[in-house]
Amino acid sequence: LTGLSVLNDVNTGAQFPAQYCRQRSPFLTQVKFLGSYQIPKIDVLVSGALQSVPGPQVIGDFVATNALVQSSLGRPLAGGAANVTVNVVPPGAMYGDRRNQFDLRLGKLLRFGRTRTKVNLDINNVFNANPVLTENQSFAVFRQPASILPARIARIGAQIDF
């Protein structure tokens, strides 16, 4: 904390080193594809969605006590604060693993007179990937996953038109 000028966020009361005022994050790519095709002779619908998005931004919040700050700052924290939270990872410097997900739908169209029924099988996360969606921001448990992509799941559904 030595030699850094600190700015206060009016809304949250959080303090940020002045070097974080102007942030330039790297170019992050997202790829998303969606397609469907109905096989005409057998009335089967096949569709899929593929997405590849960047992982979560890595944040390492360190809670510095007043005693720790006072030794380097030469004075106690302003306003009698007991501690201050400092992000030890520069914003935009680190990101988690990419999230790649593929979802699939198979549907069969059934005709009974004037009634049309479509039976669907949806499979989400076909390849059962498990990338981290959110991480714990505390430096004490740095990079510990808080949530991951839900496991593969299958659903059966029907739509009846009459």
Side-chain angles (χ1 to χ4, degrees):
L1 296 175
T2 318
L4 295 177
S5 58
V6 176
L7 301 173
N8 291 319
D9 184 344
V10 188
N11 297 326
T12 64
Q15 296 179 339
F16 303 99
Q19 70 190 42
Y20 296 152
C21 286
R22 181 181 169 129
Q23 298 178 21
R24 288 191 172 185
S25 59
F27 184 76
L28 302 173
T29 58
Q30 291 189 12
V31 178
K32 297 182 181 185
F33 292 106
L34 175 66
S36 64
Y37 181 71
Q38 183 169 352
I39 303 170
K41 295 266 185 196
I42 57 175
D43 284 334
V44 171
L45 173 69
V46 179
S47 60
L50 172 69
Q51 62 179 330
S52 178
V53 296
Q57 182 175 332
V58 175
I59 298 172
D61 287 340
F62 175 72
V63 179
T65 62
N66 192 15
L68 181 65
V69 173
Q70 188 171 358
S71 66
S72 65
L73 194 58
R75 63 170 177 78
L77 290 169
N83 54 43
V84 63
T85 303
V86 179
N87 185 0
V88 295
V89 178
M94 293 176 64
Y95 290 87
D97 295 334
R98 291 188 72 77
R99 181 182 64 171
N100 300 313
Q101 181 178 352
F102 180 63
D103 300 331
L104 179 68
R105 171 177 268 194
L106 302 171
K108 172 66 177 153
L109 186 60
L110 306 170
R111 300 175 198 271
F112 304 106
R114 294 181 55 184
T115 304
R116 234 175 65 146
T117 303
K118 185 165 56 169
V119 179
N120 298 317
L121 171 65
D122 295 325
I123 304 172
N124 292 4
N125 194 7
V126 171
F127 300 119
N128 207 25
N130 61 350
V132 174
L133 299 178
T134 58
E135 295 180 349
N136 193 321
Q137 295 182 357
S138 173
F139 190 69
V141 288
F142 191 61
R143 308 274 332 251
Q144 182 181 33
S147 67
I148 62 171
L149 186 67
R152 179 185 311 127
I153 187 168
R155 287 189 305 260
I156 297 174
Q159 175 182 335
I160 302 171
D161 297 325
F162 53 94

mmCIF file with all atom_site columns, all heavy atoms in Angstrom, residues 48-60:
data_model
loop_
_atom_site.group_PDB
_atom_site.id
_atom_site.type_symbol
_atom_site.label_atom_id
_atom_site.label_alt_id
_atom_site.label_comp_id
_atom_site.label_asym_id
_atom_site.label_entity_id
_atom_site.label_seq_id
_atom_site.pdbx_PDB_ins_code
_atom_site.Cartn_x
_atom_site.Cartn_y
_atom_site.Cartn_z
_atom_site.occupancy
_atom_site.B_iso_or_equiv
_atom_site.pdbx_formal_charge
_atom_site.auth_seq_id
_atom_site.auth_comp_id
_atom_site.auth_asym_id
_atom_site.auth_atom_id
_atom_site.pdbx_PDB_model_num
ATOM 1  N N   . GLY A 1 48 ? -28.935 -27.583 -32.600 1.00 0.00 ? 48 GLY A N   1
ATOM 2  C CA  . GLY A 1 48 ? -27.868 -27.506 -31.615 1.00 0.00 ? 48 GLY A CA  1
ATOM 3  C C   . GLY A 1 48 ? -27.419 -26.079 -31.393 1.00 0.00 ? 48 GLY A C   1
ATOM 4  O O   . GLY A 1 48 ? -27.624 -25.207 -32.235 1.00 0.00 ? 48 GLY A O   1
ATOM 5  N N   . ALA A 1 49 ? -26.813 -25.859 -30.248 1.00 0.00 ? 49 ALA A N   1
ATOM 6  C CA  . ALA A 1 49 ? -26.258 -24.553 -29.904 1.00 0.00 ? 49 ALA A CA  1
ATOM 7  C C   . ALA A 1 49 ? -24.886 -24.781 -29.293 1.00 0.00 ? 49 ALA A C   1
ATOM 8  O O   . ALA A 1 49 ? -24.719 -25.609 -28.396 1.00 0.00 ? 49 ALA A O   1
ATOM 9  C CB  . ALA A 1 49 ? -27.157 -23.832 -28.916 1.00 0.00 ? 49 ALA A CB  1
ATOM 10 N N   . LEU A 1 50 ? -23.906 -24.048 -29.812 1.00 0.00 ? 50 LEU A N   1
ATOM 11 C CA  . LEU A 1 50 ? -22.534 -24.133 -29.315 1.00 0.00 ? 50 LEU A CA  1
ATOM 12 C C   . LEU A 1 50 ? -22.113 -22.739 -28.890 1.00 0.00 ? 50 LEU A C   1
ATOM 13 O O   . LEU A 1 50 ? -22.343 -21.765 -29.612 1.00 0.00 ? 50 LEU A O   1
ATOM 14 C CB  . LEU A 1 50 ? -21.596 -24.638 -30.409 1.00 0.00 ? 50 LEU A CB  1
ATOM 15 C CG  . LEU A 1 50 ? -20.104 -24.591 -30.092 1.00 0.00 ? 50 LEU A CG  1
ATOM 16 C CD1 . LEU A 1 50 ? -19.762 -25.611 -29.017 1.00 0.00 ? 50 LEU A CD1 1
ATOM 17 C CD2 . LEU A 1 50 ? -19.283 -24.832 -31.335 1.00 0.00 ? 50 LEU A CD2 1
ATOM 18 N N   . GLN A 1 51 ? -21.529 -22.640 -27.703 1.00 0.00 ? 51 GLN A N   1
ATOM 19 C CA  . GLN A 1 51 ? -21.010 -21.358 -27.265 1.00 0.00 ? 51 GLN A CA  1
ATOM 20 C C   . GLN A 1 51 ? -19.673 -21.530 -26.575 1.00 0.00 ? 51 GLN A C   1
ATOM 21 O O   . GLN A 1 51 ? -19.442 -22.512 -25.885 1.00 0.00 ? 51 GLN A O   1
ATOM 22 C CB  . GLN A 1 51 ? -21.999 -20.614 -26.370 1.00 0.00 ? 51 GLN A CB  1
ATOM 23 C CG  . GLN A 1 51 ? -22.365 -21.305 -25.079 1.00 0.00 ? 51 GLN A CG  1
ATOM 24 C CD  . GLN A 1 51 ? -23.332 -20.472 -24.261 1.00 0.00 ? 51 GLN A CD  1
ATOM 25 O OE1 . GLN A 1 51 ? -23.322 -19.247 -24.322 1.00 0.00 ? 51 GLN A OE1 1
ATOM 26 N NE2 . GLN A 1 51 ? -24.172 -21.127 -23.494 1.00 0.00 ? 51 GLN A NE2 1
ATOM 27 N N   . SER A 1 52 ? -18.799 -20.579 -26.819 1.00 0.00 ? 52 SER A N   1
ATOM 28 C CA  . SER A 1 52 ? -17.482 -20.542 -26.196 1.00 0.00 ? 52 SER A CA  1
ATOM 29 C C   . SER A 1 52 ? -17.259 -19.114 -25.726 1.00 0.00 ? 52 SER A C   1
ATOM 30 O O   . SER A 1 52 ? -17.115 -18.202 -26.537 1.00 0.00 ? 52 SER A O   1
ATOM 31 C CB  . SER A 1 52 ? -16.404 -20.957 -27.198 1.00 0.00 ? 52 SER A CB  1
ATOM 32 O OG  . SER A 1 52 ? -15.131 -20.885 -26.599 1.00 0.00 ? 52 SER A OG  1
ATOM 33 N N   . VAL A 1 53 ? -17.270 -18.911 -24.412 1.00 0.00 ? 53 VAL A N   1
ATOM 34 C CA  . VAL A 1 53 ? -17.143 -17.574 -23.839 1.00 0.00 ? 53 VAL A CA  1
ATOM 35 C C   . VAL A 1 53 ? -15.986 -17.545 -22.842 1.00 0.00 ? 53 VAL A C   1
ATOM 36 O O   . VAL A 1 53 ? -15.620 -18.569 -22.278 1.00 0.00 ? 53 VAL A O   1
ATOM 37 C CB  . VAL A 1 53 ? -18.460 -17.122 -23.160 1.00 0.00 ? 53 VAL A CB  1
ATOM 38 C CG1 . VAL A 1 53 ? -19.576 -16.987 -24.163 1.00 0.00 ? 53 VAL A CG1 1
ATOM 39 C CG2 . VAL A 1 53 ? -18.865 -18.086 -22.069 1.00 0.00 ? 53 VAL A CG2 1
ATOM 40 N N   . PRO A 1 54 ? -15.401 -16.354 -22.612 1.00 0.00 ? 54 PRO A N   1
ATOM 41 C CA  . PRO A 1 54 ? -14.282 -16.253 -21.671 1.00 0.00 ? 54 PRO A CA  1
ATOM 42 C C   . PRO A 1 54 ? -14.700 -16.629 -20.257 1.00 0.00 ? 54 PRO A C   1
ATOM 43 O O   . PRO A 1 54 ? -15.866 -16.496 -19.879 1.00 0.00 ? 54 PRO A O   1
ATOM 44 C CB  . PRO A 1 54 ? -13.883 -14.783 -21.729 1.00 0.00 ? 54 PRO A CB  1
ATOM 45 C CG  . PRO A 1 54 ? -14.576 -14.203 -22.896 1.00 0.00 ? 54 PRO A CG  1
ATOM 46 C CD  . PRO A 1 54 ? -15.724 -15.081 -23.222 1.00 0.00 ? 54 PRO A CD  1
ATOM 47 N N   . GLY A 1 55 ? -13.732 -17.060 -19.488 1.00 0.00 ? 55 GLY A N   1
ATOM 48 C CA  . GLY A 1 55 ? -13.979 -17.389 -18.089 1.00 0.00 ? 55 GLY A CA  1
ATOM 49 C C   . GLY A 1 55 ? -14.141 -16.131 -17.250 1.00 0.00 ? 55 GLY A C   1
ATOM 50 O O   . GLY A 1 55 ? -13.988 -15.007 -17.739 1.00 0.00 ? 55 GLY A O   1
ATOM 51 N N   . PRO A 1 56 ? -14.430 -16.303 -15.964 1.00 0.00 ? 56 PRO A N   1
ATOM 52 C CA  . PRO A 1 56 ? -14.643 -15.138 -15.098 1.00 0.00 ? 56 PRO A CA  1
ATOM 53 C C   . PRO A 1 56 ? -13.341 -14.381 -14.852 1.00 0.00 ? 56 PRO A C   1
ATOM 54 O O   . PRO A 1 56 ? -12.255 -14.956 -14.861 1.00 0.00 ? 56 PRO A O   1
ATOM 55 C CB  . PRO A 1 56 ? -15.169 -15.763 -13.800 1.00 0.00 ? 56 PRO A CB  1
ATOM 56 C CG  . PRO A 1 56 ? -14.601 -17.147 -13.791 1.00 0.00 ? 56 PRO A CG  1
ATOM 57 C CD  . PRO A 1 56 ? -14.551 -17.564 -15.235 1.00 0.00 ? 56 PRO A CD  1
ATOM 58 N N   . GLN A 1 57 ? -13.471 -13.089 -14.637 1.00 0.00 ? 57 GLN A N   1
ATOM 59 C CA  . GLN A 1 57 ? -12.307 -12.272 -14.293 1.00 0.00 ? 57 GLN A CA  1
ATOM 60 C C   . GLN A 1 57 ? -11.834 -12.669 -12.900 1.00 0.00 ? 57 GLN A C   1
ATOM 61 O O   . GLN A 1 57 ? -12.629 -12.827 -11.985 1.00 0.00 ? 57 GLN A O   1
ATOM 62 C CB  . GLN A 1 57 ? -12.671 -10.792 -14.315 1.00 0.00 ? 57 GLN A CB  1
ATOM 63 C CG  . GLN A 1 57 ? -11.509 -9.893  -14.009 1.00 0.00 ? 57 GLN A CG  1
ATOM 64 C CD  . GLN A 1 57 ? -11.857 -8.423  -14.158 1.00 0.00 ? 57 GLN A CD  1
ATOM 65 O OE1 . GLN A 1 57 ? -12.727 -8.062  -14.933 1.00 0.00 ? 57 GLN A OE1 1
ATOM 66 N NE2 . GLN A 1 57 ? -11.186 -7.579  -13.420 1.00 0.00 ? 57 GLN A NE2 1
ATOM 67 N N   . VAL A 1 58 ? -10.537 -12.837 -12.733 1.00 0.00 ? 58 VAL A N   1
ATOM 68 C CA  . VAL A 1 58 ? -9.967  -13.229 -11.444 1.00 0.00 ? 58 VAL A CA  1
ATOM 69 C C   . VAL A 1 58 ? -9.779  -11.984 -10.588 1.00 0.00 ? 58 VAL A C   1
ATOM 70 O O   . VAL A 1 58 ? -9.183  -10.999 -11.031 1.00 0.00 ? 58 VAL A O   1
ATOM 71 C CB  . VAL A 1 58 ? -8.628  -13.964 -11.637 1.00 0.00 ? 58 VAL A CB  1
ATOM 72 C CG1 . VAL A 1 58 ? -7.974  -14.257 -10.298 1.00 0.00 ? 58 VAL A CG1 1
ATOM 73 C CG2 . VAL A 1 58 ? -8.843  -15.251 -12.410 1.00 0.00 ? 58 VAL A CG2 1
ATOM 74 N N   . ILE A 1 59 ? -10.313 -12.053 -9.383  1.00 0.00 ? 59 ILE A N   1
ATOM 75 C CA  . ILE A 1 59 ? -10.209 -10.957 -8.419  1.00 0.00 ? 59 ILE A CA  1
ATOM 76 C C   . ILE A 1 59 ? -9.640  -11.539 -7.131  1.00 0.00 ? 59 ILE A C   1
ATOM 77 O O   . ILE A 1 59 ? -10.052 -12.610 -6.702  1.00 0.00 ? 59 ILE A O   1
ATOM 78 C CB  . ILE A 1 59 ? -11.588 -10.311 -8.165  1.00 0.00 ? 59 ILE A CB  1
ATOM 79 C CG1 . ILE A 1 59 ? -12.114 -9.708  -9.454  1.00 0.00 ? 59 ILE A CG1 1
ATOM 80 C CG2 . ILE A 1 59 ? -11.524 -9.289  -7.054  1.00 0.00 ? 59 ILE A CG2 1
ATOM 81 C CD1 . ILE A 1 59 ? -13.532 -9.213  -9.382  1.00 0.00 ? 59 ILE A CD1 1
ATOM 82 N N   . GLY A 1 60 ? -8.696  -10.859 -6.518  1.00 0.00 ? 60 GLY A N   1
ATOM 83 C CA  . GLY A 1 60 ? -8.107  -11.312 -5.259  1.00 0.00 ? 60 GLY A CA  1
ATOM 84 C C   . GLY A 1 60 ? -8.208  -10.225 -4.215  1.00 0.00 ? 60 GLY A C   1
ATOM 85 O O   . GLY A 1 60 ? -7.322  -9.389  -4.087  1.00 0.00 ? 60 GLY A O   1
#
